[in-house]
Amino acid sequence: MADPTVSVRDLTTWRDSKAVLDSISADVLPGDIIGVLGKNGAGKTTLLETLLGFSRPDRGSVAVFGEDALHLSAAAKARIGFLPQQDELFGMLNGRQQLAIVAAFHAHWDHALIERLTAEWTVPLTRRIDSLSVGERQKLGVLAALGHHPDLLVLDEPVASLDPIARRQFLQQLFAIGENERRAVLFSSHIVSDLERAANKVWIVKDGRLHWQGELDALKESVVRLHIRSRAPLPANLAAPNALATRIDGNTAMVTVTQWQPALADTLASQFDARIDVEGLGLEDIFLELHR
Amino acid sequence: MKAVLRIGWTFFTAMPLQRWLNGIGIVLCGMLAVLNLKVGEPTWSFVFLALFVPAGIVTLFASPAIFHGLSASRSNQLLPHFHIWMLAALAALMIAQLAMFALIFVAAESSRTPLLPALVHVFTFATVAFLLMFLALSGQRWAWWLWLMASAGFIASRVMPSMRIVLDAIPPWTWFGASLAAWTAFVLWYTRTRHIGQRRRYWQTANRSSPIDLDENVTRERALGLLLSSALLSTRWRKFWNIVVIVIVVVALLSQLTDPLAISIRGFWGTVTLYLPPVTSAFWVYCVTAGMQSATMTIVRNSRFLWLRIPGSREDVQRAIERAALRNFCTAALMLAGVAALYASPLAGASPRQVVTHFMIAACAGLCGAYAALSTFTVRQVDLIHFVSVLSLVMAQVVMFSLAQGSWRALAIVVVIQLGCVLLLRRLAIHRWRQIDWLYMRPPTQYAGLFQR
Amino acid sequence: MFVLNPQSGTPIYRQLVDQVTRLISGGQLTPGTELPSVRELAELHAVNPMTISKAYTLLETEGLLERQRGKPMRVATRRRNQAPLAQRLQQLEAAAAELALAARQLEIGKKELLTLVGDQWEKENG
């Protein structure tokens, strides 16, 4: 297996005697497109920025390309592309100047790619940035993070202000990046449907912990909703193994479980003398169920 | 009524700088009062002056921006009676400022001119300052030029006796009438208008190109410099304040150099800047310390931009930041040398010791200010530590300033103490930079400048 | 050609595998038919190409598709190896359980149920 692009071990950050990041361990492998999900204030931005060394963790360590995130060499930094949640563009410049400034820091800046994407995404480069719309600024920010073909691309809410067409174009670009197996993308978003299309792995951040990390497909296969219909009233203390949420209504019950195994249906069916229907859940529903 | 008071309070407290200055003014006030009693010369004008310099002048210049910021907000415009509240608060502010001025005027026993004409002049000045700056902020570029011309005319009236005679010949009620007419027009317009232009930079050009000369082949060094100074370029207020400070300095210098005895109403610029040694030296030292401190703070806050762009650890970023701050300091020192040269010139004829003392103390103050910003930045944007550190710096420097007037040896001792202080701050800076957290230490966002926190 | 719904509870790769399997067993996809390339399909449905290739790889190991050098995947021409009977029966188990449960709920006896299944079998096999 290839060396992980980012390797996080026991990452913990305290703030105001509350753990903003709580013992997080995870790996980002080359070829991964990881979607980071979490409700507002769950610690997504803290996590992403701590991974890149913007913040010093209280415990644990992060290695990016095998180097300590707090002490990255020029070579390692040149392989990182980062788009912060709040764009850091200079209002008094125009887009072309902004990109020129970013390009000045990279030996291999792909002008052709940026020209092409500028045209495709219709980013106005000759207007002052402070006269651009929020969405246009966001596109420009993404361009600024892409131009040097980073091997690790970290995008904090890259599509929040984009229209559906621009979001689709952004996804296509993400796939183009993902085709190169050396590259890894880590992006947070609240637009779950995009995440479902793009990500092959998901990190769900809840209360500073990685509540789930793994393949998106595995997550969907693991979390299901069971509809139990029995002939007799169901016991109020109905307990299915690994249940996230249980709602009982007389003879019927709705139970969301994780680590779903088809064999469980038989067990429950015979236990309650009931008919069991299994409903697969979309990522949005899974996210909601995990936050009950 | 509560709303009016709230808005009125906002005029004095909206900008972080204002809160600082008001705080410093109050402390300065207490200190000077004690100093005065010890010396045994109960000239209370010191006290009022100390209050007036920060609270009065800064508020006078800040109020148009605050007023505009509140008025231009669409959601505010939908509040019932909003425009009436705003105007009432503005009236209260004007009255408060005139009252403050009257207090100073009465307290300054040496004043021989009657109070009323003086008040009228101040009122006129406040009116011109407010209306022109408000217009300029609303996108009327010409207002800036008019404002600069008005300032220049004011200076001219200070230095050219003939012009002063002409101005003095105009009866005060003319000024009063004109100001009142301007206010009436403003009130009529303000209560009817549905749209107040968004704030724009006064140098924002009409064409859509960028005013910054930057081609596509930027070198890494230039890009680095731009990243660090971004806020200097993007905060229109910083630019504006620079001009205000320069105007004040020039007026103060010229008025002192040409007319050291004038304590007429138009002499108050001179009064607040250079006439009363303890107060004015404090003001000088404060200006240089705070100026360098705020310039350095900008660089420190922009350090986030460097993290993924220059290799190495936090120590490496710290070194880059320190270099940038020192470059800034060199520019400031050059400007101070210019001022010193002006003092040394036959025009002022200050003694070499005076010139050297002024220069050295101011330069050391600037260096202290820069290192205070480098070392006492607060990652979580709580100004308190920072505020206290700069305040105590200024206080210590004022004391040292008066000590250094004594002899060459006293000056040397003071300078050594100051440089020792710089070294200590540098140590602290290096220590603290190891922990810097760029999750919180962010460059100020474009529109956060004015109503930050 | 395929209906892929990323928002569904069924993973995208699973949807594709199921649909290809169904189309092949239903005869709509005849042996030798070329399938759209990974890139085409990913672009068309705006999903991660890795997901598509995961499905294709799975179908290949099941023997339904075969990879051709430098060309798109195609439906396997050789008849694929039959899985052992026990394994095939296992795939029917869930359906059988459901049927049995429904029959019990409708109070239908075992004999009647088997007759019904038998009739259905006759009908299907003409």
Side-chain angles (χ1 to χ4, degrees), chain B residues 102-120:
Chain B
L103 265 176
I104 295 166
F105 201 82
V106 171
E109 288 165 47
S110 53
S111 67
R112 281 152 287 163
T113 38
L115 173 63
L116 216 57
L119 276 183
V120 167

Side-chain angles (χ1 to χ4, degrees), chain A residues 15-16 46 49 52-56 69-72 74 77 86 88 90 92 96-97 104-105 128 130, chain B residues 201 210-212 214 216 224 227 304 307 310-314 380 434-435 437-438 440 442 445-446:
Chain A
R15 197 157 296 278
D16 300 330
T46 309
E49 298 209 348
L52 294 179
F54 280 102
S55 183
R56 181 185 283 272
L70 295 170
H71 198 299
L72 291 173
K77 281 182 176 174
Q86 196 166 33
E88 290 172 350
F90 299 142
M92 73 288 184
R96 201 167 289 283
Q97 291 171 326
F105 289 95
R128 284 174 63 106
D130 52 14
Chain B
R201 292 186 184 81
S210 160
I212 292 166
L214 187 74
E216 280 186 50
L224 214 61
L227 288 186
R304 184 181 146 92
W307 172 241
I310 65 173
S313 61
R314 281 163 164 66
R380 261 183 282 169
R434 284 186 206 132
Q435 300 298 327
D437 189 343
W438 282 296
Y440 297 88
R442 282 168 185 277
T445 52
Q446 203 191 347

Side-chain angles (χ1 to χ4, degrees), chain C residues 96-115:
Chain C
E98 206 167 305
L99 188 62
L101 181 68
R104 195 142 22 105
Q105 281 167 349
L106 293 167
E107 298 180 353
I108 292 168
K110 182 181 171 187
K111 208 174 128 201
E112 287 86 353
L113 178 64
L114 286 179
T115 315

Side-chain angles (χ1 to χ4, degrees), chain B residues 119-326:
Chain B
L119 276 183
V120 167
H121 282 136
V122 172
F123 179 57
T124 310
F125 179 77
T127 306
V128 170
F130 182 89
L131 291 183
L132 283 183
M133 281 197 278
F134 180 84
L135 282 173
L137 286 168
S138 310
Q140 309 293 329
R141 272 177 69 224
W142 53 268
W144 286 119
W145 298 111
L146 209 60
W147 170 227
L148 281 181
M149 274 160 62
S151 309
F154 183 82
I155 297 167
S157 73
R158 281 293 309 133
V159 270
M160 289 158 60
S162 53
M163 190 154 172
R164 198 189 312 167
I165 292 165
V166 173
L167 284 177
D168 283 346
I170 301 172
W173 58 262
T174 323
W175 294 118
F176 188 69
S179 306
L180 225 50
W183 278 116
T184 315
F186 175 73
V187 167
L188 284 179
W189 171 80
Y190 186 74
T191 45
R192 274 143 210 252
T193 186
R194 304 213 165 261
H195 175 76
I196 290 171
Q198 294 294 317
R199 283 189 283 146
R200 291 175 64 183
R201 292 186 184 81
Y202 70 93
W203 73 87
Q204 194 166 25
T205 41
N207 63 39
R208 298 186 305 183
S209 67
S210 160
I212 292 166
D213 175 35
L214 187 74
D215 63 10
E216 280 186 50
N217 302 312
V218 194
T219 61
R220 192 172 177 279
E221 280 62 42
R222 173 115 162 88
L224 214 61
L226 270 168
L227 288 186
L228 283 182
S229 64
S230 70
L232 281 172
L233 292 164
S234 66
T235 324
R236 69 216 75 178
W237 276 101
R238 207 177 286 277
K239 205 104 177 180
F240 173 64
W241 276 112
N242 288 349
I243 290 175
V244 169
V245 167
I246 289 169
V247 168
I248 290 177
V249 168
V250 169
V251 168
L253 281 175
L254 290 179
S255 62
Q256 197 202 27
L257 294 178
T258 55
D259 192 6
L261 288 177
I263 307 205
S264 68
I265 169 54
R266 272 174 271 105
F268 87 81
W269 286 112
T271 314
V272 294
T273 48
L274 287 172
Y275 282 145
L276 306 164
V279 181
T280 53
S281 57
F283 188 68
W284 264 123
V285 172
Y286 169 73
C287 271
V288 179
T289 311
M292 274 311 295
Q293 179 272 330
S294 92
T296 311
M297 197 61 203
T298 305
I299 304 177
V300 171
R301 293 191 71 168
N302 279 7
S303 62
R304 184 181 146 92
F305 291 142
L306 297 199
W307 172 241
L308 285 179
R309 301 210 160 102
I310 65 173
S313 61
R314 281 163 164 66
E315 282 84 348
D316 295 297
V317 177
Q318 184 259 329
R319 275 192 285 276
I321 293 294
E322 192 178 346
R323 273 198 299 276
L326 288 179

Side-chain angles (χ1 to χ4, degrees), chain B residues 288-290 292-293 296 364-374 390 393 397:
Chain B
V288 179
T289 311
M292 274 311 295
Q293 179 272 330
T296 311
C364 289
L367 210 53
C368 281
Y371 275 94
L374 271 178
V390 174
L393 249 180
Q397 281 168 343

